[in-house]
Amino acid sequence: MAAQCLRSRTNLIVLATASALVLAGCGGSDPSPEQRFAAALASGDVRTAADLTTDPAAASSAITAMFDGLAAQGHSFTVSQGGDSFTLDADWDLGDGKEWRYSTEGKVVTVSGEQRLSWDPALLVPGLDADSTVQFTPTTGKPPQVRASDGRPIMTQQVVTLVNLQPSADPAVVAPLLAPIVPTITAESLRGDLAKADGKPVTAVTLRESDIAPIRARLAAIPGVELVDQARLLTVDKALASPVFADLANLWQEGQDASAGWAVQMVQSNGSTHRLAGQDGTPAPNIDTTLDLNLQTAAENALAGIAQPAAIVALRPSTGAVLAVAQNAPADAQGPIALTGLYPPGSTFKTVTTSAALQAGKVTPDTVLPCPGTENVEGRQIPNDDNFDLGSVPLHTAFAHSCNTTMARLAVSLPADALPRAAEQFGLGVDYVTPGLTTVTGTVPPAETPAARVESAIGQGEVTASPFGMALVAASIAHGSTPAPTMVVGRPGTADRTVAPAPADVDDELRAMMRETVTDGTARILADLPNLAGKTGTAEYGDGKDSHGWFVGIDGDLAFAVFVAGADSSGPALDAAGRFLR
């Protein structure tokens, strides 16, 4: 009998096509049972293949389990030696270049006058028996860690336990065990979850090993409670939280996937396994981040007592390293606002407005300008906070005391694109692709009318910024150019455009004015911090009755932004900055 009468590389070839190949390839004679068996396997026709054996029920079960366990992208079966004793060659395409080839031996017997294949599971896979099956699985080596800038682990793979409740579980018995760990869990909340599940089990909570260990035995003994262990990437310190951890987890998973090996395992009925084929993957490298654990903890603690959504982002101006990204629980409920939340920046944007005015040659820091308590500029009545009136003062004094009227009047004479160009020089409005970090800096559209420039000048109107964006503004002023934001060591972010920095003398003048803001201006509450420079901000939103609070600061090689939603003044942001720095 000629070798290779059948060879079909496909996952589910139509049976008629596979059979036609057999009939055409063997000299016109009727195909033998082993050829028909190979054709049925090639087409994925379990029933036809099983019916060609001496035990169709057992064969059907084994063949189905083999196909399900391997989940191959393609497969072929070849009869390379026919007759009463034959050889079956198998070739499995397991995807991405993973291939498994082997041969098995079989026998053809006569049963009630018809030829059949003597059923033996080893006809499918060498060594297979009635109590085993085969399974394809990706493999990974030792899981990497996500580490802080000093090498301490921030996130590691850990075992967690899902507490699953069947409809029969009694919430009144389960809730008292879980409530000390998760106070929001009550018997009523569990009943509600079960009711919404329409008879399906629900996961009441996922617990770390340290939390479930004291109550594991008691939970497991409750009828209707199922405990399922899973491996997950978690923070080493469960109190540590940051919106950057989600992106770092994705980066960690990408590394795991890229370094994965594979195995085909023989799985026994008792759960034991041994490998039949495969290849070990290369260990995934640790992810070394730029995060400073001390600063991250300080930032989280500084925000913990604030009732409104609040965030702090801190960068190292000299390198762009992201040192801390923190937000409190109310902010977490709204998403990663520290990195992508867009809000009117208010008076912190006066850093940009002042830079644009200085570059236009309209003023110097010592130019004396009016700072009335309120002024109608291009039809927009602009008040200072509490209508304070400084009279005529140098620009640096107007900046330090955050004179809205001065800034509005300055902006009117600027070109429509002056503020967007000045903002881009500080990274605001620029988009970055940064490994391990998803960010939006802000939007500063051209102000085509004088009235629009008045609004933009004081960080209102269509101007928006994220806390990350304003931290980048502060870092750019400190550094003299915008540093590439970096979360993973050696992998800086890439900007969507190249922007020339502001002139060095403008940055110098801005830093001096920001220092005066702390020593003798709106941030005097922080005057005990000897090297701090900054800018406060209050930004109206909605119908104008409520305001967000901001503070951006520079302290040596540290630049940061503090944002408190709905704070009604910059006071809460200043207080948080003080707690963060002290």
Side-chain angles (χ1 to χ4, degrees):
M1 185 174 295
Q4 297 188 352
C5 287
L6 171 74
R7 184 169 182 82
S8 173
R9 290 188 57 77
T10 183
N11 196 21
L12 288 174
I13 300 177
V14 178
L15 178 59
T17 303
S19 299
L21 289 172
V22 174
L23 292 171
C26 298
S29 61
D30 290 338
S32 63
E34 69 270 22
Q35 294 164 355
R36 284 182 285 154
F37 182 75
L41 289 179
S43 67
D45 188 343
V46 175
R47 180 175 178 178
T48 296
D51 285 346
L52 289 165
T53 73
T54 57
D55 191 344
S60 178
S61 177
I63 295 169
T64 299
M66 175 181 68
F67 282 141
D68 290 347
L70 294 178
Q73 293 188 6
H75 54 262
S76 68
F77 294 87
T78 302
V79 177
S80 60
Q81 179 179 338
D84 291 343
S85 296
F86 65 89
T87 299
L88 184 68
D89 297 329
D91 188 348
W92 294 88
D93 177 4
L94 301 170
D96 297 326
K98 306 176 184 71
E99 200 162 20
W100 182 34
R101 296 189 179 97
Y102 59 83
S103 298
T104 63
E105 305 296 327
K107 292 183 180 298
V108 178
V109 297
T110 302
V111 179
S112 300
E114 294 188 7
Q115 288 188 312
R116 295 282 184 268
L117 275 61
S118 178
W119 173 245
D120 181 349
L123 177 60
L124 301 177
V125 176
L128 192 67
D129 59 31
D131 293 323
S132 61
T133 188
V134 289
Q135 174 181 287
F136 170 81
T137 182
T139 62
T140 56
K142 181 180 178 181
Q145 297 179 338
V146 178
R147 304 192 297 195
S149 58
D150 61 2
R152 284 186 287 171
I154 301 174
M155 305 175 78
T156 61
Q157 184 171 281
Q158 302 170 44
V159 174
V160 298
T161 301
L162 280 63
V163 181
N164 293 335
L165 305 185
Q166 299 292 333
S168 59
D170 185 351
V173 178
V174 177
L177 294 175
L178 300 180
I181 304 168
V182 185
T184 56
I185 291 179
T186 63
E188 290 73 19
S189 70
L190 294 179
R191 288 192 190 98
D193 292 341
L194 287 167
K196 288 184 288 187
D198 293 328
K200 296 179 181 179
V202 299
T203 299
V205 68
T206 301
L207 298 177
R208 293 174 181 246
E209 180 58 29
S210 58
D211 289 327
I212 197 170
I215 59 173
R216 181 184 289 274
R218 284 180 287 170
L219 280 172
I222 299 173
V225 174
E226 180 185 23
L227 304 181
V228 179
D229 290 342
Q230 289 185 353
R232 293 188 183 178
L233 184 69
L234 299 175
T235 55
V236 175
D237 180 358
K238 72 175 183 178
L240 200 64
S242 173
V244 303
F245 293 157
D247 283 328
L248 290 173
N250 291 335
L251 196 64
W252 180 91
Q253 189 61 55
E254 289 174 10
Q256 284 286 82
D257 294 344
S259 65
W262 64 279
V264 176
Q265 298 176 325
M266 185 83 74
V267 184
Q268 303 298 326
S269 58
N270 63 5
S272 63
T273 64
H274 72 272
R275 191 165 87 170
L276 302 176
Q279 182 177 346
D280 292 333
T282 56
N286 291 319
I287 298 175
D288 290 314
T289 76
T290 59
L291 288 173
D292 183 308
L293 272 182
N294 293 332
L295 285 176
Q296 179 67 32
T297 301
E300 292 184 18
N301 291 341
L303 301 176
I306 299 176
Q308 305 97 323
I312 293 177
V313 177
L315 308 175
R316 177 169 288 124
S318 62
T319 64
V322 178
L323 302 176
V325 179
Q327 53 184 49
N328 60 3
D332 289 339
Q334 297 183 1
I337 69 167
L339 300 172
T340 60
L342 293 177
Y343 308 92
S347 293
T348 60
F349 191 74
K350 291 173 183 174
T351 52
V352 173
T353 304
T354 302
S355 176
L358 290 170
Q359 292 183 63
K362 301 287 185 180
V363 289
T364 71
D366 296 321
T367 301
V368 176
L369 301 167
C371 175
T374 183
E375 185 175 7
N376 189 294
V377 184
E378 298 296 331
R380 165 79 153 92
Q381 194 67 31
I382 302 296
N384 289 331
D385 188 31
D386 291 332
N387 292 314
F388 73 83
D389 188 335
L390 298 183
S392 294
V393 293
L395 172 61
H396 63 83
T397 303
F399 180 96
H401 290 270
S402 204
C403 288
N404 290 334
T405 51
T406 305
M407 293 295 162
R409 182 59 65 186
L410 268 181
V412 168
S413 61
L414 294 174
D417 64 346
L419 295 179
R421 286 190 290 106
E424 285 185 347
Q425 291 174 324
F426 296 153
L428 193 60
V430 178
D431 287 329
Y432 293 87
V433 176
T434 307
L437 193 68
T438 300
T439 60
V440 179
T441 58
T443 56
V444 185
E448 300 294 348
T449 66
R453 289 195 283 281
V454 168
E455 295 285 345
S456 295
I458 56 174
Q460 299 281 176
E462 297 183 25
V463 175
T464 63
S466 67
F468 171 81
M470 291 311 301
L472 198 60
V473 168
S476 302
I477 295 170
H479 183 53
S481 62
T482 304
T486 304
M487 172 54 66
V488 178
V489 174
R491 301 180 66 182
T494 302
D496 67 347
R497 71 201 80 167
T498 300
V499 181
D505 59 338
V506 170
D507 287 324
D508 291 341
E509 290 163 351
L510 280 175
R511 288 193 295 270
M513 285 187 262
M514 292 172 72
R515 178 58 184 157
E516 184 179 346
T517 301
V518 175
T519 59
D520 194 40
T522 55
R524 284 190 301 274
I525 192 175
L526 302 178
D528 61 300
L529 297 167
N531 300 310
L532 181 65
K535 183 70 190 78
T536 56
T538 303
E540 295 177 355
Y541 66 96
D543 60 6
K545 295 179 180 179
D546 299 303
S547 302
H548 301 312
W550 289 86
F551 180 70
V552 298
I554 301 168
D555 190 354
D557 202 14
L558 173 70
F560 63 94
V562 183
F563 169 76
V564 182
D568 290 331
S569 76
S570 60
L574 285 166
D575 292 339
R579 291 191 295 270
F580 172 57
L581 295 173
R582 294 188 181 105

